[in-house]
mmCIF file of all heavy atoms in Angstrom:
data_model
loop_
_atom_site.group_PDB
_atom_site.id
_atom_site.type_symbol
_atom_site.label_atom_id
_atom_site.label_comp_id
_atom_site.label_asym_id
_atom_site.label_seq_id
_atom_site.Cartn_x
_atom_site.Cartn_y
_atom_site.Cartn_z
ATOM 1 N N PRO A 267 17.395 -185.289 -91.533
ATOM 2 C CA PRO A 267 18.047 -185.114 -92.832
ATOM 3 C C PRO A 267 17.715 -183.789 -93.533
ATOM 4 O O PRO A 267 18.305 -183.477 -94.561
ATOM 5 C CB PRO A 267 17.529 -186.306 -93.649
ATOM 6 C CG PRO A 267 17.093 -187.305 -92.637
ATOM 7 C CD PRO A 267 16.556 -186.504 -91.498
ATOM 8 N N GLU A 268 16.778 -183.004 -92.963
ATOM 9 C CA GLU A 268 16.435 -181.708 -93.557
ATOM 10 C C GLU A 268 16.883 -180.544 -92.670
ATOM 11 O O GLU A 268 16.347 -179.437 -92.769
ATOM 12 C CB GLU A 268 14.929 -181.647 -93.824
ATOM 13 C CG GLU A 268 14.479 -182.692 -94.836
ATOM 14 C CD GLU A 268 13.037 -182.535 -95.257
ATOM 15 O OE1 GLU A 268 12.338 -181.663 -94.689
ATOM 16 O OE2 GLU A 268 12.602 -183.272 -96.153
ATOM 17 N N TYR A 269 17.881 -180.776 -91.860
ATOM 18 C CA TYR A 269 18.386 -179.779 -90.913
ATOM 19 C C TYR A 269 19.344 -178.845 -91.672
ATOM 20 O O TYR A 269 20.549 -179.047 -91.705
ATOM 21 C CB TYR A 269 19.086 -180.512 -89.779
ATOM 22 C CG TYR A 269 19.463 -179.698 -88.559
ATOM 23 C CD1 TYR A 269 20.022 -180.340 -87.453
ATOM 24 C CD2 TYR A 269 19.285 -178.325 -88.491
ATOM 25 C CE1 TYR A 269 20.386 -179.635 -86.315
ATOM 26 C CE2 TYR A 269 19.635 -177.611 -87.366
ATOM 27 C CZ TYR A 269 20.194 -178.278 -86.283
ATOM 28 O OH TYR A 269 20.558 -177.568 -85.171
ATOM 29 N N VAL A 270 18.788 -177.802 -92.252
ATOM 30 C CA VAL A 270 19.539 -176.927 -93.165
ATOM 31 C C VAL A 270 20.750 -176.323 -92.475
ATOM 32 O O VAL A 270 21.869 -176.333 -93.031
ATOM 33 C CB VAL A 270 18.621 -175.814 -93.709
ATOM 34 C CG1 VAL A 270 19.424 -174.831 -94.555
ATOM 35 C CG2 VAL A 270 17.485 -176.408 -94.524
ATOM 36 N N TRP A 271 20.543 -175.771 -91.293
ATOM 37 C CA TRP A 271 21.641 -175.099 -90.602
ATOM 38 C C TRP A 271 22.811 -176.043 -90.362
ATOM 39 O O TRP A 271 23.975 -175.655 -90.496
ATOM 40 C CB TRP A 271 21.122 -174.526 -89.284
ATOM 41 C CG TRP A 271 22.141 -173.756 -88.498
ATOM 42 C CD1 TRP A 271 22.529 -172.464 -88.701
ATOM 43 C CD2 TRP A 271 22.913 -174.228 -87.387
ATOM 44 N NE1 TRP A 271 23.481 -172.102 -87.770
ATOM 45 C CE2 TRP A 271 23.732 -173.170 -86.956
ATOM 46 C CE3 TRP A 271 22.968 -175.445 -86.704
ATOM 47 C CZ2 TRP A 271 24.606 -173.283 -85.872
ATOM 48 C CZ3 TRP A 271 23.834 -175.571 -85.632
ATOM 49 C CH2 TRP A 271 24.646 -174.498 -85.223
ATOM 50 N N ALA A 272 22.522 -177.301 -90.028
ATOM 51 C CA ALA A 272 23.594 -178.259 -89.768
ATOM 52 C C ALA A 272 24.405 -178.530 -91.026
ATOM 53 O O ALA A 272 25.642 -178.682 -90.959
ATOM 54 C CB ALA A 272 23.023 -179.563 -89.210
ATOM 55 N N TYR A 273 23.739 -178.608 -92.188
ATOM 56 C CA TYR A 273 24.486 -178.777 -93.439
ATOM 57 C C TYR A 273 25.410 -177.576 -93.673
ATOM 58 O O TYR A 273 26.569 -177.739 -94.087
ATOM 59 C CB TYR A 273 23.538 -178.917 -94.622
ATOM 60 C CG TYR A 273 22.881 -180.270 -94.751
ATOM 61 C CD1 TYR A 273 21.541 -180.441 -94.429
ATOM 62 C CD2 TYR A 273 23.595 -181.380 -95.197
ATOM 63 C CE1 TYR A 273 20.917 -181.681 -94.542
ATOM 64 C CE2 TYR A 273 22.989 -182.626 -95.314
ATOM 65 C CZ TYR A 273 21.649 -182.770 -94.990
ATOM 66 O OH TYR A 273 21.050 -183.999 -95.095
ATOM 67 N N ARG A 274 24.920 -176.387 -93.416
ATOM 68 C CA ARG A 274 25.738 -175.188 -93.641
ATOM 69 C C ARG A 274 26.951 -175.179 -92.720
ATOM 70 O O ARG A 274 28.082 -174.892 -93.155
ATOM 71 C CB ARG A 274 24.884 -173.943 -93.433
ATOM 72 C CG ARG A 274 23.787 -173.786 -94.474
ATOM 73 C CD ARG A 274 22.858 -172.630 -94.166
ATOM 74 N NE ARG A 274 23.562 -171.363 -94.162
ATOM 75 C CZ ARG A 274 22.962 -170.192 -93.968
ATOM 76 N NH1 ARG A 274 21.650 -170.147 -93.763
ATOM 77 N NH2 ARG A 274 23.655 -169.061 -93.994
ATOM 78 N N ASP A 292 27.542 -180.492 -99.037
ATOM 79 C CA ASP A 292 26.708 -179.964 -97.954
ATOM 80 C C ASP A 292 26.080 -178.630 -98.321
ATOM 81 O O ASP A 292 24.887 -178.401 -98.063
ATOM 82 C CB ASP A 292 27.542 -179.808 -96.681
ATOM 83 C CG ASP A 292 27.580 -181.083 -95.844
ATOM 84 O OD1 ASP A 292 26.926 -182.076 -96.229
ATOM 85 O OD2 ASP A 292 28.258 -181.088 -94.805
ATOM 86 N N PHE A 293 26.848 -177.733 -98.915
ATOM 87 C CA PHE A 293 26.281 -176.440 -99.296
ATOM 88 C C PHE A 293 25.204 -176.610 -100.365
ATOM 89 O O PHE A 293 24.178 -175.920 -100.346
ATOM 90 C CB PHE A 293 27.379 -175.506 -99.797
ATOM 91 C CG PHE A 293 28.369 -175.106 -98.730
ATOM 92 C CD1 PHE A 293 29.742 -175.133 -98.984
ATOM 93 C CD2 PHE A 293 27.946 -174.706 -97.461
ATOM 94 C CE1 PHE A 293 30.657 -174.769 -98.012
ATOM 95 C CE2 PHE A 293 28.855 -174.338 -96.482
ATOM 96 C CZ PHE A 293 30.214 -174.372 -96.752
ATOM 97 N N THR A 294 25.423 -177.543 -101.274
ATOM 98 C CA THR A 294 24.428 -177.814 -102.316
ATOM 99 C C THR A 294 23.143 -178.343 -101.693
ATOM 100 O O THR A 294 22.038 -177.938 -102.078
ATOM 101 C CB THR A 294 24.986 -178.824 -103.331
ATOM 102 O OG1 THR A 294 26.171 -178.282 -103.926
ATOM 103 C CG2 THR A 294 23.964 -179.138 -104.421
ATOM 104 N N ARG A 295 23.288 -179.235 -100.724
ATOM 105 C CA ARG A 295 22.110 -179.773 -100.046
ATOM 106 C C ARG A 295 21.362 -178.677 -99.297
ATOM 107 O O ARG A 295 20.133 -178.611 -99.317
ATOM 108 C CB ARG A 295 22.543 -180.881 -99.081
ATOM 109 C CG ARG A 295 21.414 -181.528 -98.293
ATOM 110 C CD ARG A 295 20.445 -182.268 -99.172
ATOM 111 N NE ARG A 295 19.496 -183.035 -98.390
ATOM 112 C CZ ARG A 295 18.329 -183.474 -98.838
ATOM 113 N NH1 ARG A 295 17.980 -183.224 -100.094
ATOM 114 N NH2 ARG A 295 17.521 -184.171 -98.075
ATOM 115 N N ALA A 296 22.109 -177.790 -98.645
ATOM 116 C CA ALA A 296 21.479 -176.690 -97.915
ATOM 117 C C ALA A 296 20.699 -175.781 -98.865
ATOM 118 O O ALA A 296 19.565 -175.379 -98.577
ATOM 119 C CB ALA A 296 22.533 -175.885 -97.162
ATOM 120 N N LEU A 297 21.279 -175.478 -100.021
ATOM 121 C CA LEU A 297 20.593 -174.635 -101.003
ATOM 122 C C LEU A 297 19.346 -175.312 -101.544
ATOM 123 O O LEU A 297 18.315 -174.669 -101.780
ATOM 124 C CB LEU A 297 21.557 -174.292 -102.147
ATOM 125 C CG LEU A 297 22.694 -173.322 -101.787
ATOM 126 C CD1 LEU A 297 23.739 -173.330 -102.877
ATOM 127 C CD2 LEU A 297 22.131 -171.904 -101.583
ATOM 128 N N ARG A 298 19.441 -176.618 -101.736
ATOM 129 C CA ARG A 298 18.283 -177.352 -102.256
ATOM 130 C C ARG A 298 17.140 -177.343 -101.236
ATOM 131 O O ARG A 298 15.986 -177.118 -101.589
ATOM 132 C CB ARG A 298 18.696 -178.777 -102.585
ATOM 133 C CG ARG A 298 17.571 -179.615 -103.219
ATOM 134 C CD ARG A 298 18.066 -180.995 -103.615
ATOM 135 N NE ARG A 298 19.131 -180.924 -104.589
ATOM 136 C CZ ARG A 298 20.346 -181.452 -104.433
ATOM 137 N NH1 ARG A 298 20.637 -182.116 -103.329
ATOM 138 N NH2 ARG A 298 21.258 -181.333 -105.374
ATOM 139 N N LEU A 299 17.491 -177.562 -99.976
ATOM 140 C CA LEU A 299 16.457 -177.614 -98.932
ATOM 141 C C LEU A 299 15.838 -176.258 -98.670
ATOM 142 O O LEU A 299 14.627 -176.135 -98.479
ATOM 143 C CB LEU A 299 17.056 -178.174 -97.640
ATOM 144 C CG LEU A 299 17.370 -179.675 -97.621
ATOM 145 C CD1 LEU A 299 18.205 -180.020 -96.399
ATOM 146 C CD2 LEU A 299 16.081 -180.485 -97.631
ATOM 147 N N GLU A 300 16.683 -175.216 -98.652
ATOM 148 C CA GLU A 300 16.182 -173.900 -98.264
ATOM 149 C C GLU A 300 15.578 -173.113 -99.418
ATOM 150 O O GLU A 300 14.602 -172.384 -99.238
ATOM 151 C CB GLU A 300 17.308 -173.092 -97.614
ATOM 152 C CG GLU A 300 16.830 -171.812 -96.955
ATOM 153 C CD GLU A 300 17.888 -171.155 -96.073
ATOM 154 O OE1 GLU A 300 19.038 -171.666 -96.035
ATOM 155 O OE2 GLU A 300 17.578 -170.150 -95.433
ATOM 156 N N PHE A 301 16.146 -173.294 -100.612
ATOM 157 C CA PHE A 301 15.720 -172.454 -101.735
ATOM 158 C C PHE A 301 15.210 -173.227 -102.932
ATOM 159 O O PHE A 301 14.820 -172.637 -103.950
ATOM 160 C CB PHE A 301 16.889 -171.546 -102.177
ATOM 161 C CG PHE A 301 17.394 -170.652 -101.078
ATOM 162 C CD1 PHE A 301 18.597 -170.929 -100.437
ATOM 163 C CD2 PHE A 301 16.656 -169.549 -100.663
ATOM 164 C CE1 PHE A 301 19.073 -170.107 -99.425
ATOM 165 C CE2 PHE A 301 17.117 -168.731 -99.642
ATOM 166 C CZ PHE A 301 18.326 -169.012 -99.016
ATOM 167 N N GLY A 302 15.220 -174.557 -102.846
ATOM 168 C CA GLY A 302 14.687 -175.363 -103.933
ATOM 169 C C GLY A 302 15.616 -175.497 -105.115
ATOM 170 O O GLY A 302 15.169 -175.843 -106.225
ATOM 171 N N ASP A 303 16.921 -175.222 -104.928
ATOM 172 C CA ASP A 303 17.858 -175.384 -106.043
ATOM 173 C C ASP A 303 17.827 -176.831 -106.532
ATOM 174 O O ASP A 303 17.703 -177.771 -105.742
ATOM 175 C CB ASP A 303 19.284 -175.046 -105.611
ATOM 176 C CG ASP A 303 19.490 -173.559 -105.400
ATOM 177 O OD1 ASP A 303 18.498 -172.860 -105.104
ATOM 178 O OD2 ASP A 303 20.636 -173.087 -105.519
ATOM 179 N N SER A 304 17.995 -176.984 -107.837
ATOM 180 C CA SER A 304 17.982 -178.338 -108.400
ATOM 181 C C SER A 304 19.363 -178.969 -108.286
ATOM 182 O O SER A 304 20.349 -178.321 -108.037
ATOM 183 C CB SER A 304 17.562 -178.292 -109.867
ATOM 184 O OG SER A 304 18.418 -177.443 -110.597
#
Side-chain angles (χ1 to χ4, degrees):
E268 297 188 355
Y269 191 176
V270 175
W271 182 81
Y273 283 106
R274 293 174 62 177
D292 273 358
F293 294 134
T294 300
R295 180 65 172 160
L297 289 166
R298 183 176 299 123
L299 287 169
E300 190 168 4
F301 301 105
D303 288 26
S304 57

